[in-house]
């Protein structure tokens, strides 16, 4: 390694010594072909162990699978289950739009709810996900922090579901708008630093969720948001922001971190992010390219959040 690669590596290892919490964050393995999924998963896991398995928690931010071929979906879940159980650390899962692919094509007559990774994940006592596939969020304590995870969700009768940050189906039957509007109060009442995570960004990020406007404005104790969905280097879907990795929420001094994607078929490289949380509640963020075994960037958000602007309605 030369130049900046050496510097990033040095900063990362110095940060690792000081980190109170170490989280590995990724999204969008998202392959319909199990062979492609295995190739990308193996590349990323190999690099994770090359780094010395440096995390005490995983946040998987959706699109774990793709498609509606049930045997292939189960094969992809099985390979991921085996890989992530081997790490021996807790995993937090939120559903993304492709995690609902199977639900979207199952016949209306059967009305079967089958979200492959969710069904697998809930078998593990030390893995975290929404209590029910109808729920829009869940939260997990991490030291002094509370982490709010926002997930795609679906009605038990399939009358509505959410993907791509919008409500689909019978919008009038959707029951959670008032709940979403109250989440900001719950965050404030927690009285501690808050980090949010989802498959989607808030407005201001790449491919943002329209539904998240109901949660805004966020309280001052929200420090960061992590998301996937906007595969870095994907010109087909990322629009005019194919390389946006760090952005800010509209009207907020809250950085948003794009962690996608965990594959190099649609995206350019198998990517992820390592989050370090220090004793003083400050954070370090390290962007990893698993194919080339290098950190591509590091970022240390300000400890101070400036007052949010008044949201324009």
């Amino acid at each position: 390694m030369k130049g900046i690669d050496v510097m990033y590596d040095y900063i990362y290892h110095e940060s690792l010594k000081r980190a109170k919490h170490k989280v590995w964050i990724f999204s969008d393995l998202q392959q319909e072909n199990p062979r492609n999924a295995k190739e990308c998963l193996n590349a990323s896991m190999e690099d994770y162990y090359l780094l010395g398995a440096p995390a005490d928690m995983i946040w998987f931010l959706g699109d774990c699978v793709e498609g509606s071929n049930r045997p292939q979906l189960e094969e992809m879940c099985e390979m991921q289950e085996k890989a992530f159980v081997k790490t021996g650390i807790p995993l937090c899962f939120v559903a993304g739009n492709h995690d609902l692919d199977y639900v979207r094509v199952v016949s209306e007559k059967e009305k079967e709810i089958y979200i492959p990774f969710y069904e697998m994940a809930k078998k593990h006592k030390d893995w975290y996900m929404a209590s029910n596939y109808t729920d829009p969020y869940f939260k997990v304590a991490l030291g002094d922090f509370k982490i709010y995870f926002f997930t795609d969700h679906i009605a038990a009768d399939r009358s509505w579901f959410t993907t791509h940050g919008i409500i689909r189906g019978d919008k009038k039957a959707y029951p959670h708008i008032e709940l979403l509007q109250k989440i900001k109060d719950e965050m404030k009442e927690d009285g501690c630093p808050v980090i949010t995570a989802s498959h989607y960004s808030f407005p201001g990020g790449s491919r943002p969720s329209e539904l998240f406007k109901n949660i805004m404005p966020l309280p001052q104790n929200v420090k960061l948001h992590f998301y996937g969905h906007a595969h870095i280097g994907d010109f087909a879907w990322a629009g005019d922001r194919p390389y946006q990795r760090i952005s800010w929420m509209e009207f907020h001094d809250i950085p948003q971190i794009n962690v996608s994607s965990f594959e190099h078929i649609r995206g350019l490289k198998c990517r992820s992010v390592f989050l370090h949380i220090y004793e003083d509640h400050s954070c370090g963020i390290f962007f990893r390219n698993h194919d080339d075994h290098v950190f591509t960037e590091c970022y240390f958000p300000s400890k101070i959040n400036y007052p949010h602007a008044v949201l324009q309605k």
Side-chain angles (χ1 to χ4, degrees):
M1 293 191 299
K2 297 181 180 179
I4 197 67
D5 290 345
V6 173
M7 184 58 71
Y8 286 150
D9 201 60
Y10 172 79
I11 294 171
Y12 166 78
H13 283 96
E14 287 300 308
S15 172
L16 197 62
K17 297 174 187 176
R18 296 163 171 78
K20 183 177 180 181
H21 304 289
K22 303 175 287 291
V23 186
W24 189 21
I25 313 174
F26 47 82
S27 72
D28 301 270
L29 179 60
Q30 191 189 321
Q31 297 300 313
E32 194 164 4
N33 185 328
R35 286 178 294 180
N36 288 341
K38 186 174 183 179
E39 175 186 320
C40 297
L41 179 64
N42 287 350
S44 299
M45 298 308 301
E46 177 186 347
D47 188 51
Y48 174 74
Y49 288 111
L50 185 66
L51 284 170
D56 46 36
M57 180 176 274
I58 291 171
W59 299 350
F60 199 166
L61 303 186
D63 281 6
C64 310
V65 296
E66 181 180 7
S68 57
N69 183 307
R70 187 153 179 166
Q72 289 184 343
L73 292 170
E74 290 173 351
E75 181 181 349
M76 285 184 281
C77 285
E78 184 178 348
M79 72 173 72
Q80 291 178 72
E81 179 180 31
K82 183 177 179 180
F84 301 140
V85 166
K86 184 180 176 181
T87 67
I89 59 179
L91 182 148
C92 301
F93 161 71
V94 300
N97 52 291
H98 282 293
D99 295 304
L100 271 62
D101 280 353
Y102 185 85
V103 173
R104 294 162 67 183
V105 300
V106 169
S107 72
E108 284 294 325
K109 185 177 181 180
E110 294 176 9
K111 293 188 180 297
E112 180 184 12
I113 304 294
Y114 174 62
I115 303 172
F117 200 93
Y118 179 85
E119 296 299 329
M120 178 271 288
K122 69 182 184 181
K123 297 175 184 177
H124 297 272
K125 293 181 179 180
D126 60 344
W127 290 16
Y128 301 91
M129 72 288 310
S131 298
N132 194 289
Y133 51 73
T134 62
D135 296 340
Y137 82 107
F138 64 99
K139 63 180 180 179
V140 174
L142 181 60
D144 297 331
F145 281 69
K146 289 288 176 61
I147 317 301
Y148 280 72
F149 293 94
F150 297 97
T151 182
D152 272 330
H153 46 296
I154 182 170
D157 63 0
R158 291 168 39 109
S159 59
W160 57 261
F161 61 93
T162 66
T163 68
H164 300 83
I166 61 176
I167 304 164
R168 301 180 184 275
D170 185 357
K171 295 178 175 61
K172 292 182 179 179
Y174 183 74
H176 296 312
I177 293 297
E178 186 176 350
L179 173 63
L180 292 174
Q181 292 170 343
K182 290 181 177 179
I183 287 175
K184 62 179 77 70
D185 297 324
E186 182 180 344
M187 291 174 171
K188 186 175 181 180
E189 290 169 4
D190 282 334
C192 64
V194 168
I195 293 174
T196 60
S198 175
H199 188 58
Y200 311 105
S201 71
F202 280 81
S206 186
R207 306 187 75 190
S209 167
E210 188 74 17
L211 202 55
F212 285 173
K213 289 183 178 180
N214 292 285
I215 306 171
M216 303 170 85
L218 294 167
Q220 289 292 133
N221 56 322
V222 179
K223 302 301 180 184
L224 285 165
H225 178 67
F226 291 90
Y227 70 97
H229 191 50
H231 301 224
I232 295 167
D234 180 2
F235 289 93
W237 292 99
D240 59 355
R241 299 178 181 182
Y243 295 110
Q244 188 175 69
R245 298 179 288 279
I246 304 173
S247 57
W248 269 256
M249 293 185 193
E250 289 181 354
F251 303 106
H252 291 65
D253 186 24
I254 301 175
Q256 305 193 83
I257 310 300
N258 179 3
V259 306
S260 60
S261 60
F262 212 45
E263 52 80 29
H264 55 216
I265 309 298
R266 170 176 154 181
L268 293 177
K269 300 287 183 179
C270 296
R271 302 173 184 269
S272 71
V273 161
F274 288 92
L275 166 66
H276 291 171
I277 299 177
Y278 311 112
E279 190 71 39
D280 65 352
H281 297 165
S282 60
C283 297
I285 296 162
F286 299 85
F287 294 81
R288 185 72 174 179
N289 169 348
H290 295 295
D291 292 295
D292 300 326
H293 310 300
V294 295
F295 290 103
T296 58
E297 291 158 288
C298 58
Y299 170 56
F300 298 89
S302 171
K303 288 176 61 178
I304 302 170
N305 287 73
Y306 290 104
H308 305 328
V310 176
L311 291 185
Q312 306 299 311
K313 299 294 185 181

